[in-house]
Amino acid sequence: IINGRLIPLSTGELMYVGFYSGSADKKELSGVNISKVDAAKGVLIQSSFKEITKDMLNISDSSAAADPDDTEDEDNKSNKKDKSNSNNNENDFFENTFVIRSVFPKPDNGGVIITAESFRYVHQQYTRMSMGSQFPTTVIKSYYFNNDLMIINAGADGSIQKIQYLPKKQIEEIAGAPSGFSSYSGYRDPLYPDFFVNGPVFPFYSSIASVLLNNKMIFFFNDNERNENVIDQKNSKSLKTVNSRTFRKSAFFAVVYDLKSGDTKRSIVFKTDDDLIPMPRLAYFTGNELYIPAGKVKLMAKSNLKIGHILIE
């Protein structure tokens, strides 16, 4: 069992939702595990393991075209390594980088909607000599790769009814992050990789906010505005990257996934600028209202912060 969430149900039961891996090295995920426990009696009342295959995701074997906007050195290195490794791996479409971001019980049939995001964290620390200086300088950087989304529609029995795959590519670089741990991805908890408070800082503008409202899953995130027509894997070849240098020139998107029809619609809520970059990971939902902080974070100067209000109709 790898990377899961435990949620209380209105029936008083506890539900565990997580990924599992059948490989010895745990580099690839195999499927989804959904278990229910009667908390009062301490009895396991349901446990299902459902495999996720490439056919379910409708993923093409052809890789996406190179993005000229992708100027992050660390990302280029990682992509080259990933592509070289994937040539000999049948299951590289479901690598152990997916982290469950949310689990929403469906109001009609006892099933759940699971949202997972491909996430990797890389920490770099090195020493360099500057020209004209007698003393070395220590450089500390953290890179956050928040990429594709996987929306899993599961039934009450744990069966996988449908999977929607939403390509995206966010890269955020933060200088001066805490040191003392190595790069990791996958089944280690990205929130507390060392189990205590000396874990990594979080990205400001990457990742998503999500809510289930009126049988529709709604996702909010920052993205390159040229990705407005990218709603599934079929048109992912045109996917553009948004990174630390382009968040201020990006757009704040809303993606609506209709649970009944399976249709996906994507639209721009507003375009960002130097002083207004949303932080979806810190968003707060109440009813059909979204409150989201936005601004420009400056590590060595005064930061600007605003709170946005979005009414979802």
Side-chain angles (χ1 to χ4, degrees):
I1 303 296
I2 295 175
N3 188 270
R5 288 286 185 94
L6 186 67
I7 58 173
L9 301 177
S10 58
T11 58
E13 301 166 346
L14 295 176
M15 174 183 285
Y16 172 83
V17 179
F19 293 124
Y20 70 91
S21 176
S23 62
D25 56 12
K26 303 296 188 293
K27 289 184 178 180
E28 291 83 37
L29 300 176
S30 300
V32 177
N33 166 239
I34 298 179
S35 300
K36 291 182 182 179
V37 175
D38 186 322
K41 298 179 180 179
V43 178
L44 179 67
I45 56 179
Q46 176 185 326
S47 182
S48 65
F49 290 82
K50 302 298 182 181
E51 183 182 7
I52 292 180
T53 65
K54 198 170 186 177
D55 293 337
M56 293 180 179
L57 303 179
N58 195 20
I59 292 180
S60 171
D61 290 329
S62 59
S63 59
D67 180 6
D69 290 338
D70 187 2
T71 56
E72 295 281 352
D73 292 339
E74 183 60 37
D75 183 54
N76 290 336
K77 293 177 182 177
S78 298
N79 282 341
K80 291 178 181 178
K81 182 179 179 180
D82 291 345
K83 289 179 181 178
S84 64
N85 290 339
S86 66
N87 291 334
N88 298 320
N89 196 329
E90 294 180 352
N91 298 324
D92 60 357
F93 73 96
F94 201 14
E95 292 181 343
N96 187 4
T97 59
F98 279 92
V99 178
I100 294 178
R101 296 302 190 197
S102 66
V103 179
F104 289 98
K106 291 193 290 186
D108 52 354
N109 61 5
V112 292
I113 300 296
I114 308 163
T115 301
E117 181 183 42
S118 178
F119 173 75
R120 291 189 301 113
Y121 169 79
V122 176
H123 173 79
Q124 288 185 342
Q125 179 173 343
Y126 56 91
T127 303
R128 68 183 181 188
M129 294 295 298
S130 301
M131 184 175 296
S133 175
Q134 297 180 348
F135 302 99
T137 299
T138 299
V139 179
I140 302 175
K141 292 183 179 181
S142 293
Y143 295 89
Y144 301 87
F145 301 84
N146 294 79
N147 295 329
D148 300 347
L149 293 179
M150 186 184 299
I151 304 101
I152 303 171
N153 190 337
D157 60 350
S159 61
I160 298 175
Q161 298 175 347
K162 187 172 182 179
I163 297 178
Q164 181 71 18
Y165 200 90
L166 179 63
K168 74 177 180 71
K169 193 173 184 181
Q170 299 169 311
I171 307 169
E172 191 165 344
E173 174 188 338
I174 298 178
S179 60
F181 47 88
S182 58
S183 304
Y184 74 93
S185 65
Y187 60 88
R188 295 185 66 190
D189 189 350
L191 298 180
Y192 304 103
D194 292 322
F195 302 105
F196 297 103
V197 295
N198 60 331
V201 296
F202 298 107
F204 294 112
Y205 313 117
S206 299
S207 200
I208 62 169
S210 60
V211 64
L212 175 61
L213 190 65
N214 299 326
N215 275 318
K216 294 179 180 179
M217 278 297 304
I218 308 175
F219 305 95
F220 297 92
F221 56 90
N222 297 308
D223 203 356
N224 191 308
E225 62 179 290
R226 288 183 286 175
N227 292 332
E228 187 172 6
N229 296 321
V230 179
I231 59 173
D232 55 34
Q233 193 70 16
K234 295 178 182 178
N235 50 11
S236 63
K237 289 185 178 181
S238 61
L239 185 69
K240 305 297 179 183
T241 302
V242 60
N243 57 43
S244 296
R245 289 185 285 275
T246 59
F247 274 115
R248 60 187 178 88
K249 299 178 182 179
S250 62
F252 188 57
F253 278 92
V255 177
V256 180
Y257 172 53
D258 192 309
L259 301 184
K260 291 185 177 180
S261 66
D263 295 335
T264 302
K265 296 182 180 179
R266 178 171 177 155
S267 59
I268 295 177
V269 181
F270 59 83
K271 295 183 180 181
T272 64
D273 56 38
D274 282 334
D275 297 321
L276 191 64
I277 308 176
M279 305 176 189
R281 191 180 57 81
L282 304 177
Y284 174 75
F285 289 96
T286 174
N288 64 337
E289 297 177 277
L290 167 67
Y291 293 89
I292 183 168
K296 184 67 176 296
V297 177
K298 302 176 182 178
L299 299 182
M300 300 299 293
K302 184 179 180 180
S303 297
N304 299 319
L305 182 64
K306 301 177 182 179
I307 302 297
H309 176 222
I310 297 175
L311 181 64
I312 305 172
E313 298 181 348

